[in-house]
Amino acid sequence: MRSSSKAPLERSLRIPSTRTPRGSYGQFHEHEPSSRRKRVRVVVVGGGVIGLACAYELLRRGQEVTILEARTAGSGASFGNLGWIVPAQMRPVPAPGMVAQALRWMLRPDSPLYIRPSLSPGFIRFMYGMWRHCNETSFRAGLLAHLRLAEGSMQLLDDYEQDGVDFEMHAQGLLQVFASAKQFDNHVRGLDLLRGHGFRPQVLDGTEVTRVEPALLSGLHGGIFFPDERHVRPDSLADGLARRCLALGGKLIEDAAVQRVHGRAGRVVEVETDDGRYSADVFLLAAGVWSGTLARKFGAGLPIRPGKGYSLDYIDSPFALHSLVKLMEPQVALSPFDGWMRLAGTMEFSGFDLKVNERRVRAIAKAPVEYLNDWDPSARAQRVWAGARPMTPDGLPVMGRFAALQNCYVAAGHGMLGLTLGPATGSVMAEAITEGHVPAVLEPFSPRRFGA
């Protein structure tokens, strides 16, 4: 895989580099020439990876696209995440046993999960919804829906490169590492469903784990290696998609937060920002964690709430990992990029509070001590980031047409799977908007399940 080489953007708008941004927040094919069908004007609200992937696919299909981003393109959750493209890891967050595990974690101030108590009716409804989906039936149905949606994702990424989208991508697989037998056995028992969908997990004992990844300590219980998983440097993918959208004739307007939505007869006519009004035939809400708030401006309700996560960047890391690594007991993950490494972890349901909690940062930084040779927990990360993932009560994204609006669609709520599901989301949403019908693969993700 190649690394991104960024030429200057020929525009006055900003694309984030590796600096910390302001704020914290079907297969590719030749499409029918636009001259044979009506050209559709689309406004995409949101310039993260999901919004950019949708805009890119719409432009490829000959549509006229304007992207409105409240901050800078790719500056929210698309910036500081792990960059994982891991279809084998598409487990919904609500899962069997999650409630008991959460209660145990709540007794530890540095645990991987934190829930700030609240009497807000919206918060209570959201948590009750998660509790209702912590069962085997909902979990398996959600996993199957994710797997079906993500079919062809790797080919879509390869097609991105072939079409000139410039980004850093690696294909060395993913290694889950277990220190205890209990978690290891639980995950091994769940591999049947993945094998049935073409995945090739390799179950490893403690000795085999260190052969796959020599940086690991000896004496670990075991691991599961998924050889086909990939990862990208997330800001480079957002950057590459934005540049390609511009090259295809799209417009990207930054610092353009939608303030008002104007409609008539069950249709949205235009959206208004502080700097102007934007009319279109179709509107797509893809604003990540802010989609729940913005949906109310469209007259709809979406239970999308922030789940805060952290990442730590070690620019001069001495650890040259061979693959992605996930430390299963502390739920800390490691992504090696060109010349540096990122650690990430935790899930906080604490509203839109994006302040950095140093206790949680220290917990992430010390987690590799029990797994990696010579890891120094006192080594200072060169960059610490906290951002909000867009979470839903059932752990599934919200994608499709709003029930009461003829020309409005949504693609949001991807949780920790935005990069994994991004290419497929772009493809199917562009199909839905261009062809005027919602593909069957999107049925489990319909906003109508929330009455939206």
Side-chain angles (χ1 to χ4, degrees):
M1 297 296 167
R2 60 191 176 84
S3 299
S4 173
S5 57
K6 297 182 181 179
L9 264 178
E10 295 182 1
R11 61 173 188 140
S12 60
L13 303 177
R14 296 178 298 279
I15 287 290
S17 64
T18 53
R19 61 177 170 80
T20 301
R22 291 186 299 110
S24 292
Y25 114 91
Q27 294 192 1
F28 181 90
H29 56 87
E30 290 298 323
H31 304 294
E32 180 184 354
S34 58
S35 59
R36 298 183 187 176
R37 66 161 77 92
K38 180 182 177 182
R39 186 177 175 90
V40 178
R41 296 177 303 145
V42 184
V43 165
V44 177
V45 180
V49 164
I50 298 297
L52 291 167
C54 293
Y56 167 74
E57 292 286 0
L58 285 162
L59 288 161
R60 287 285 305 177
R61 288 162 170 78
Q63 311 309 334
E64 180 182 329
V65 180
T66 298
I67 306 162
L68 303 179
E69 166 54 40
R71 295 166 180 77
T72 56
S75 64
S78 297
F79 179 87
N81 67 78
L82 286 162
W84 286 19
I85 313 291
V86 287
Q89 302 299 299
M90 293 192 298
R91 298 160 52 93
V93 171
M98 188 63 184
V99 174
Q101 179 65 72
L103 291 173
R104 288 192 294 271
W105 273 337
M106 288 296 288
L107 300 176
R108 289 174 39 203
D110 61 348
S111 69
L113 175 67
Y114 172 71
I115 301 173
R116 179 185 293 171
S118 171
L119 295 178
S120 160
F123 176 84
I124 293 171
R125 283 194 299 270
F126 184 90
M127 287 299 164
Y128 175 70
M130 291 199 85
W131 172 77
R132 287 183 58 241
H133 288 92
C134 287
N135 61 76
E136 189 68 28
T137 301
S138 295
F139 176 79
R140 287 221 160 201
L143 178 56
L144 281 170
H146 282 157
L147 289 171
R148 293 189 185 107
L149 177 63
E151 289 179 3
S153 291
M154 301 308 185
Q155 181 61 51
L156 285 168
L157 285 170
D158 291 339
D159 292 333
Y160 279 12
E161 284 197 316
Q162 293 171 16
D163 189 50
V165 180
D166 188 17
F167 60 103
E168 179 184 330
M169 181 161 62
H170 304 268
Q172 282 77 44
L174 163 67
L175 177 62
Q176 295 179 329
V177 184
F178 300 83
S180 68
K182 182 178 180 180
Q183 280 221 41
F184 177 74
D185 293 341
N186 286 339
H187 279 75
V188 168
R189 281 195 295 270
L191 294 178
D192 60 318
L193 191 59
L194 295 176
R195 290 193 176 102
H197 279 76
F199 293 96
R200 302 180 298 149
Q202 301 170 14
V203 179
L204 311 173
D205 62 26
T207 302
E208 292 168 328
V209 163
T210 55
R211 288 175 185 164
V212 171
E213 187 51 76
L216 291 169
L217 288 167
S218 60
L220 295 168
H221 183 79
I224 304 173
F225 183 62
F226 297 89
D228 302 316
E229 310 301 80
R230 301 186 190 181
H231 67 290
V232 302
R233 202 184 85 202
D235 66 303
S236 77
L237 180 59
D239 188 2
L241 284 169
R243 291 168 180 268
R244 190 69 185 120
C245 285
L246 293 171
L248 291 170
K251 297 178 182 178
L252 173 56
I253 315 298
E254 294 179 316
D255 296 315
V258 171
Q259 303 295 346
R260 283 165 289 279
V261 176
H262 302 280
R264 183 172 56 248
R267 298 177 65 85
V268 170
V269 177
E270 62 183 11
V271 294
E272 183 178 349
T273 72
D274 287 337
D275 296 327
R277 295 189 175 202
Y278 299 87
S279 61
D281 303 306
V282 175
F283 295 83
L284 171 61
L285 176 57
V289 72
W290 304 104
S291 298
T293 302
L294 283 169
R296 292 197 288 272
K297 297 181 186 294
F298 287 83
L302 291 178
I304 295 176
R305 298 187 69 90
K308 183 165 70 171
Y310 293 85
S311 66
L312 285 61
D313 292 346
Y314 293 85
I315 307 301
D316 301 314
S317 171
F319 287 90
L321 295 177
H322 289 69
S323 63
L324 298 173
V325 173
K326 184 167 185 181
L327 314 178
M328 297 303 291
E329 282 77 17
Q331 291 292 294
V332 169
L334 297 81
S335 285
F337 297 111
D338 288 346
W340 58 286
M341 186 165 68
R342 173 169 288 171
L343 272 65
T346 79
M347 173 68 75
E348 288 187 31
F349 289 102
S350 53
F352 283 92
D353 174 13
L354 296 181
K355 295 192 296 290
V356 172
N357 183 321
E358 291 297 336
R359 174 175 282 170
R360 299 198 171 275
V361 170
R362 289 193 297 271
I364 295 171
K366 75 177 184 180
V369 169
E370 304 296 328
Y371 296 84
L372 291 180
N373 283 301
D374 302 321
W375 179 261
D376 180 6
S378 66
R380 189 170 184 82
Q382 281 70 47
R383 181 169 49 228
V384 175
W385 176 90
R389 313 174 183 105
M391 310 300 294
T392 62
D394 58 6
L396 303 182
V398 187
M399 294 185 286
R401 195 200 312 262
F402 281 118
L405 296 169
Q406 302 171 30
N407 65 333
C408 288
Y409 296 78
V410 60
H414 290 69
M416 295 179 286
L417 299 174
L419 269 291
T420 297
L421 295 176
T425 295
S427 180
V428 294
M429 291 305 301
E431 178 185 342
I433 291 169
T434 300
E435 304 299 333
H437 67 85
V438 177
V441 72
L442 288 181
E443 289 178 4
F445 310 107
S446 172
R448 297 168 186 261
R449 72 189 195 270
F450 300 122

